């Protein structure tokens, strides 16, 4: 079901006033967090000093301990929230995915593996929320790999639109179950991901899985027009973005459960649409530079985004409350995690794109940040480097172990799924 109009109605009706229920930090609070953050960076530096050491001899848990400390001491996450974010299951799923991605495509870039991992984390979060075992399944692996393979291709302004549409037509036929011959190595990889999903979820028994994949594909195709199309109205742009985000996370749900109740589908649609708004808000500077039209990038040059970010915050509070309808025991901690992450996400957006907000608004919003804005700006580049360094170590670790790892789990899990479906 398409909940696009309902989400847009919620957006239009939500207050655009400055948030007043965000946690406020004093100057002394911020200085304490900044000191903890500097300690964290020094510890990360120490991990990377001994390059001659075999990575397999290093303590894999040490970076996780440091991450837990920085999330708690500098960013204010609770122990309960961290127990979910950095749980053994979440970490194992991440490491397992990196191994599988490298085994499947040794030439896949660091950037694309990290991007795909972000979708794995969202799907693991949905597994947790819905009371499912948090793990990397073949369906999660395949769907997450499709993101760097297809999404980036369709967003590339250097590729001819007709060429994109021809690929989209072939891909849609493949998602419908038609026999389609790949024209190049990239399409072969994409079609293989569809096969993996088919091996996990039988088309005949779970047709809605494939309808959900077609829905996100159609939303992606429509998003092609967001590249420098000045004829689109703000409402048209918002609809395209909402449908893309909503359809994506609904597909997550179908790929996890095989089928969804209406209350599950509605929440996941609103959750996905909201994540798309957050993503567009964070990427506003890049989107302006790349002539990619979103609600925020088309407005950035004409007006301040003060009211927009307040609207995003307000919608987020409502979407968070919608999780109560699911009735799972995990809802409470999921909501607290979602709220904390949204608050930090909005702060990051203001810091990274402050030129699109009024000076008074930026000064006011700084009160909600666990660290001062000048400090964050001074550390953004170095922290990004250390963040990449940590993830790069996971990649290198996986590459060292890839000879002991295979893609057999794809087939083993698929056979287990088909056996359970046949019972």
């Amino acid at each position: 079901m398409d909940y696009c109009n309902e989400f847009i109605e919620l957006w239009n009706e939500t207050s655009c006033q400055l948030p007043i229920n965000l946690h406020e930090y004093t100057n002394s609070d911020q200085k304490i967090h900044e000191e903890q953050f500097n300690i964290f960076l020094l510890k990360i530096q120490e991990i990377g000093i001994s390059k001659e050491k075999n990575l397999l001899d290093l303590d894999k848990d040490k970076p996780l301990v440091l991450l837990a400390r920085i999330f708690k001491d500098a960013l204010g996450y609770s122990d309960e929230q961290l127990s979910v974010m950095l749980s053994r299951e979440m970490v194992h799923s991440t490491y397992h995915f990196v191994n599988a991605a490298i085994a499947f495509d040794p030439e896949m870039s660091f950037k694309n593996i990290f991007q795909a991992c972000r979708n794995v984390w969202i799907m693991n979060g949905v597994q947790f929320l819905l009371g499912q075992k948090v793990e990397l399944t073949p369906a999660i692996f395949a769907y997450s790999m499709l993101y760097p393979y297809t999404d980036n291709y369709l967003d590339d302004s250097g590729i001819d639109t007709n060429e994109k549409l021809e690929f989209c037509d072939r891909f849609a036929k493949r998602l419908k179950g038609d026999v389609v011959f790949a024209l190049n190595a990239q399409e072969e990889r994409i079609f293989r991901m569809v096969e993996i999903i088919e091996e996990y979820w039988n088309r005949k028994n779970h047709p809605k899985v494939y309808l959900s994949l077609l829905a996100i594909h159609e939303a992606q195709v429509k998003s092609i027009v967001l590249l420098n199309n000045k004829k689109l109205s703000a409402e048209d742009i918002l609809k395209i973005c909402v449908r893309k985000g909503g359809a994506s996370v609904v597909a997550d749900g179908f790929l996890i459960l095989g089928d969804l109740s209406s209350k599950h589908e509605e929440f996941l649609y609103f959750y996905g649409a909201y994540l798309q708004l957050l993503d567009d808000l964070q990427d506003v500077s890049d989107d302006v530079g790349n002539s990619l039209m979103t609600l925020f990038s088309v407005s950035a040059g004409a007006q301040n985004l003060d009211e927009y970010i307040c609207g995003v915050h307000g919608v987020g509070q409502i979407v968070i409350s919608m999780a109560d309808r699911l009735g799972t025991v995990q809802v409470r901690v999921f909501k607290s995690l979602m709220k904390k992450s949204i608050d930090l996400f909005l702060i990051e957006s203001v810091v990274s794109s402050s030129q699109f907000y009024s000076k008074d608004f930026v000064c006011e919003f700084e009160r909600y940040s666990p660290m001062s804005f000048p400090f964050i700006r001074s550390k953004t580049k170095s922290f990004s480097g250390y963040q990449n360094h940590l993830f790069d170590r996971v990649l290198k670790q996986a590459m060292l172990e890839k000879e002991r790892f295979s893609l057999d789990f794809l087939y083993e899990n698929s056979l287990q799924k088909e056996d359970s479906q046949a019972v």
Side-chain angles (χ1 to χ4, degrees), residues 120-274:
V120 174
W121 296 329
I122 290 174
M123 295 185 77
N124 286 156
V126 173
Q127 283 178 317
F128 172 78
L129 175 63
L130 299 182
Q132 302 297 300
K133 180 181 179 181
V134 175
E135 61 178 342
L136 180 73
T137 67
I140 290 177
F141 169 77
Y143 186 52
S144 298
M145 291 287 281
L146 282 175
Y147 264 78
Y149 283 149
T150 62
D151 208 35
N152 292 343
Y153 177 82
L154 296 178
D155 283 344
D156 190 339
S157 58
I159 299 176
D160 180 73
T161 300
N162 289 331
E163 182 180 341
K164 292 180 182 180
L165 293 175
E166 288 173 2
F167 159 73
C168 289
D169 183 59
R170 292 193 300 276
F171 188 33
K173 290 178 180 177
R174 183 64 192 87
L175 290 174
K176 292 176 183 177
D178 295 346
V179 176
V180 182
F181 295 101
L183 298 185
N184 50 53
Q186 181 78 341
E187 286 192 9
E188 286 181 3
R189 287 188 283 264
I190 291 171
F191 292 171
R192 176 62 189 128
M193 293 302 105
V194 180
E195 288 178 8
I196 291 171
I197 294 172
E198 289 171 331
E199 291 159 0
Y200 191 75
W201 291 116
N202 180 278
R203 279 185 174 273
K204 182 179 179 180
N205 296 339
H206 300 279
K208 290 184 179 180
V209 169
Y210 299 94
L211 291 176
S212 72
L213 290 174
L214 278 168
I216 178 58
H217 175 63
E218 290 171 1
Q220 284 181 313
V221 172
K222 289 180 180 178
S223 71
I224 293 175
V225 303
L226 293 177
L227 283 168
N228 204 20
N229 187 336
K230 301 187 183 303
K231 296 181 180 179
L232 292 173
S233 67
E235 184 176 358
D236 291 334
I237 293 170
L238 181 58
K239 283 184 177 180
I240 291 171
C241 294
V242 165
R243 285 198 168 104
K244 181 179 177 182
S248 177
V249 180
V250 167
D252 287 345
F254 277 108
L255 288 162
I256 290 168
L257 294 180
D259 200 1
L260 294 174
S261 67
S262 58
K263 66 180 180 181
H264 285 142
E265 188 171 351
E266 181 184 28
F267 172 75
L268 293 177
Y269 189 100
F270 274 69
Y271 181 42
Y274 185 68

Side-chain angles (χ1 to χ4, degrees), residues 230-363:
K230 301 187 183 303
K231 296 181 180 179
L232 292 173
S233 67
E235 184 176 358
D236 291 334
I237 293 170
L238 181 58
K239 283 184 177 180
I240 291 171
C241 294
V242 165
R243 285 198 168 104
K244 181 179 177 182
S248 177
V249 180
V250 167
D252 287 345
F254 277 108
L255 288 162
I256 290 168
L257 294 180
D259 200 1
L260 294 174
S261 67
S262 58
K263 66 180 180 181
H264 285 142
E265 188 171 351
E266 181 184 28
F267 172 75
L268 293 177
Y269 189 100
F270 274 69
Y271 181 42
Y274 185 68
L275 290 179
Q276 185 66 52
L277 282 184
L278 285 176
D279 194 49
D280 289 345
L281 191 63
Q282 183 185 43
D283 294 341
V284 62
S285 295
D286 290 338
D287 291 341
V288 169
N290 295 327
S291 298
L292 181 62
M293 303 178 71
T294 68
L295 179 66
F296 309 119
S297 67
V298 298
S299 302
Q303 64 185 93
N304 292 325
L305 298 181
D306 301 8
E307 291 189 356
Y308 279 111
I309 197 171
C310 293
V312 169
H313 175 266
V315 169
Q317 304 313 298
I318 298 172
V319 173
I320 289 173
S321 69
M322 289 176 63
D324 289 330
R325 304 174 190 176
L326 303 182
T328 63
V329 296
Q330 294 83 3
V331 164
R332 183 185 58 80
V333 65
F334 179 86
K335 286 172 59 179
S336 72
L337 254 177
M338 190 175 171
K339 184 180 185 307
K340 181 65 178 178
S341 298
I342 287 172
D343 291 352
L344 292 176
F345 205 107
L346 297 181
I347 291 166
E348 181 185 354
S349 299
V350 173
V351 175
S352 62
S353 301
S354 57
Q355 69 272 28
F356 298 122
Y357 300 91
S358 68
K359 291 183 179 180
D360 289 344
F361 182 86
V362 174
C363 291

